[in-house]
């Protein structure tokens, strides 16, 4: 009997110790599937570092391929207070705070160095603060996801080549406005649906970075990529503001410090792998069109900034000024 009681007490102590060692269990959502893509590697690294620094008090499970639902839906769940993390972007966040759309706009960044100045600016602090007031806390602000290009069944060298083309874009007001300005017919679809949509002809084309095209095997259904470079896309990682503000101060610090650290590392990984992904696509039989009239696309894209509903007057100019 004494042994049985002792064993029971030991079991209770073990369970309590386990519970106290892992105070927060979080799922971290991304649309990407390929575990070798820089963003997925960065998410796993972030999860490992946070768990280690927190002494096991925070456990994060990375969920790829929209397992928790399309990015828009996940962001809405996070905003409502769910204990989730979401790897999203400023185009998607523009659905909640329209001014953030500018940060996902076409040809908005003169250089990566200029983008660094923006993300360190009072303008960015103001915008992220407004988003937090709506329930979304950004803990990783500016990891480069990649430069986006058009993938289709024909070369796209000038905006006129997109006239009447049905093209998949993410749920992003600024990307919808951009491709309407190019004369295309943009259609919102979750990234996980793009392969089938191209295969069945629901859409004619898509746009994405090289790494995402490889990861989703889009090269199996479309064989021409035109280097429009229409968007330098930064991923922003968010969690519920109410969840974050309820964390002990030391865990908040860990989130923010590790988020800032991984942002730079993700940018570096993306730049290092971009040429490799392009070569992989070319080796698979994809035509990569280099002679794109980028100035013509830049000119055609300017109207997008006046087409996004509810932008604060002058916000584009403020963003540009912050990068000087």
């Amino acid at each position: 009997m004494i042994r049985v009681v002792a064993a029971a007490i030991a079991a209770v102590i073990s369970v309590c110790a386990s519970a106290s060692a892992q105070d927060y269990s979080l799922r971290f959502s991304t649309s990407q599937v390929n575990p070798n893509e820089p963003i997925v590697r960065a998410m796993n690294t972030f999860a490992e570092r946070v768990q280690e620094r927190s002494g096991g008090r925070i456990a994060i499970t990375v969920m790829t391929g929209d397992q928790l639902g399309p990015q828009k839906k996940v962001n809405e769940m996070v905003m409502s207070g769910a204990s989730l993390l979401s790897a999203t972007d400023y185009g998607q966040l523009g659905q909640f705070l329209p001014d953030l759309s500018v940060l996902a706009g076409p040809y908005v960044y003169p250089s990566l160095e200029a983008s660094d100045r923006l993300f360190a600016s009072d303008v960015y602090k103001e915008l992220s603060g407004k988003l937090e007031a709506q329930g979304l806390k950004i803990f990783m602000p500016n990891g480069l996801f990649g430069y986006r290009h058009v993938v289709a069944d024909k070369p796209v060298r000038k905006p006129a080549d997109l006239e009447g083309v049905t093209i998949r874009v993410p749920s992003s007001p600024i990307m919808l406005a951009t491709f309407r300005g190019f004369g295309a017919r943009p259609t919102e679809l979750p990234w996980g649906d793009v392969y089938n949509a191209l295969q069945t002809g629901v859409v004619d084309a898509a746009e994405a970075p090289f790494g995402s095209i490889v990861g989703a095997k889009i090269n199996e259904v479309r064989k021409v990529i035109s280097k429009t470079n229409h968007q330098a896309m930064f991923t922003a990682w968010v969690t519920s503001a109410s969840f974050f503000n309820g964390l002990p101060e030391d865990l908040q610090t860990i989130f923010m410090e590790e988020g800032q650290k991984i942002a730079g590392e993700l940018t570096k990984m993306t730049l290092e792998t971009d040429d490799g992904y392009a070569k992989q696509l070319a080796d698979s039989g994809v035509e990569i069109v280099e002679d794109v009239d980028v100035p013509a696309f830049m000119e055609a894209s300017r109207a997008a900034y006046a087409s996004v509903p509810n932008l604060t007057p002058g916000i584009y100019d403020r963003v540009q000024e912050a990068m000087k």
Side-chain angles (χ1 to χ4, degrees), residues 186-250:
T187 300
E188 297 178 58
L189 283 175
W191 180 245
D193 295 343
V194 174
Y195 185 102
N196 286 338
L198 289 167
Q199 188 176 47
T200 58
V202 172
V203 296
D204 305 314
E207 50 82 52
F210 287 133
S212 295
I213 293 169
V214 170
K217 301 181 180 180
I218 302 300
N219 54 301
E220 294 180 354
V221 289
R222 288 295 181 275
K223 294 294 185 181
V224 184
I225 298 173
S226 301
K227 290 184 68 175
T228 51
N229 281 294
H230 55 271
Q231 183 194 44
M233 183 179 179
F234 289 92
T235 179
W237 296 355
V238 299
T239 189
S240 162
S242 59
F243 164 75
F244 182 86
N245 292 329
L247 289 174
E249 187 175 341
D250 64 320

Side-chain angles (χ1 to χ4, degrees), residues 144-196:
L144 182 66
F145 182 74
Y147 295 93
R148 300 179 79 92
H149 313 290
V150 173
V151 53
D153 56 4
K154 65 177 185 177
V156 175
R157 293 186 170 90
K158 56 188 182 300
D161 293 333
L162 283 171
E163 188 71 37
V165 172
T166 302
I167 185 168
R168 178 271 174 184
V169 299
S171 297
S172 163
I174 194 75
M175 281 296 101
L176 287 164
T178 296
F179 279 89
R180 288 189 188 114
F182 295 157
R185 295 185 294 178
T187 300
E188 297 178 58
L189 283 175
W191 180 245
D193 295 343
V194 174
Y195 185 102
N196 286 338

Side-chain angles (χ1 to χ4, degrees), residues 10-316:
V12 170
I13 291 172
S14 175
V15 169
C16 291
S18 175
S20 63
Q22 184 175 307
D23 295 338
Y24 305 95
S25 181
L26 304 168
R27 290 175 295 171
F28 195 174
S29 178
T30 178
S31 300
Q32 307 313 117
V33 178
N34 186 347
N36 293 318
E37 281 191 65
I39 189 171
V40 180
R41 288 159 52 196
M43 291 167 70
N44 281 309
T45 298
F46 175 83
E48 291 164 5
R49 289 173 178 170
V50 167
Q51 182 160 347
E52 181 179 354
R53 281 191 62 183
S54 69
R57 293 159 65 195
I58 299 178
I60 298 172
T61 302
V62 173
M63 310 289 287
T64 59
D66 283 337
Q67 292 179 64
L68 301 180
Q71 194 176 135
K72 180 180 179 180
K73 182 66 175 178
V74 172
N75 288 342
E76 289 171 347
M77 289 191 291
V78 173
M79 177 177 273
S80 69
S83 298
L84 298 172
L85 312 178
S86 175
T88 186
D89 68 89
Y90 291 101
Q92 297 268 353
L93 294 176
Q95 298 171 95
F96 308 108
L97 185 69
D99 286 353
L100 284 175
S101 294
V102 174
L103 278 60
Y107 307 105
V108 70
Y109 300 105
S111 66
L112 286 179
E113 292 76 18
S115 74
D116 288 339
R117 291 191 286 274
L118 172 65
F119 287 109
S121 72
D122 289 340
V123 173
Y124 180 76
K125 184 178 179 180
E126 175 188 323
L127 292 175
S128 59
K130 288 180 178 179
L131 186 70
E132 184 172 352
Q134 292 194 35
L136 288 167
K137 172 70 177 181
I138 298 173
F139 62 90
M140 195 284 272
N142 61 328
L144 182 66
F145 182 74
Y147 295 93
R148 300 179 79 92
H149 313 290
V150 173
V151 53
D153 56 4
K154 65 177 185 177
V156 175
R157 293 186 170 90
K158 56 188 182 300
D161 293 333
L162 283 171
E163 188 71 37
V165 172
T166 302
I167 185 168
R168 178 271 174 184
V169 299
S171 297
S172 163
I174 194 75
M175 281 296 101
L176 287 164
T178 296
F179 279 89
R180 288 189 188 114
F182 295 157
R185 295 185 294 178
T187 300
E188 297 178 58
L189 283 175
W191 180 245
D193 295 343
V194 174
Y195 185 102
N196 286 338
L198 289 167
Q199 188 176 47
T200 58
V202 172
V203 296
D204 305 314
E207 50 82 52
F210 287 133
S212 295
I213 293 169
V214 170
K217 301 181 180 180
I218 302 300
N219 54 301
E220 294 180 354
V221 289
R222 288 295 181 275
K223 294 294 185 181
V224 184
I225 298 173
S226 301
K227 290 184 68 175
T228 51
N229 281 294
H230 55 271
Q231 183 194 44
M233 183 179 179
F234 289 92
T235 179
W237 296 355
V238 299
T239 189
S240 162
S242 59
F243 164 75
F244 182 86
N245 292 329
L247 289 174
E249 187 175 341
D250 64 320
L251 296 185
Q252 292 184 15
T253 298
I254 290 170
F255 257 87
M256 299 305 292
E257 289 181 352
E258 292 301 330
Q260 196 64 54
K261 181 179 179 182
I262 202 67
E265 294 176 7
L266 174 53
T267 295
K268 186 171 183 289
M269 281 192 286
T270 297
L271 294 172
E272 288 174 347
T273 58
D274 205 47
D275 288 344
Y277 281 128
K279 184 178 186 304
Q280 186 176 338
L281 288 163
D283 290 345
S284 74
V286 169
E287 177 187 358
I288 297 182
V289 180
E290 300 273 359
D291 59 333
V292 173
D293 188 352
V294 171
F297 277 100
M298 293 178 71
E299 182 62 30
S301 72
R302 295 185 192 281
Y305 293 101
S307 302
V308 176
N310 302 315
L311 281 186
T312 300
I315 186 60
Y316 175 82

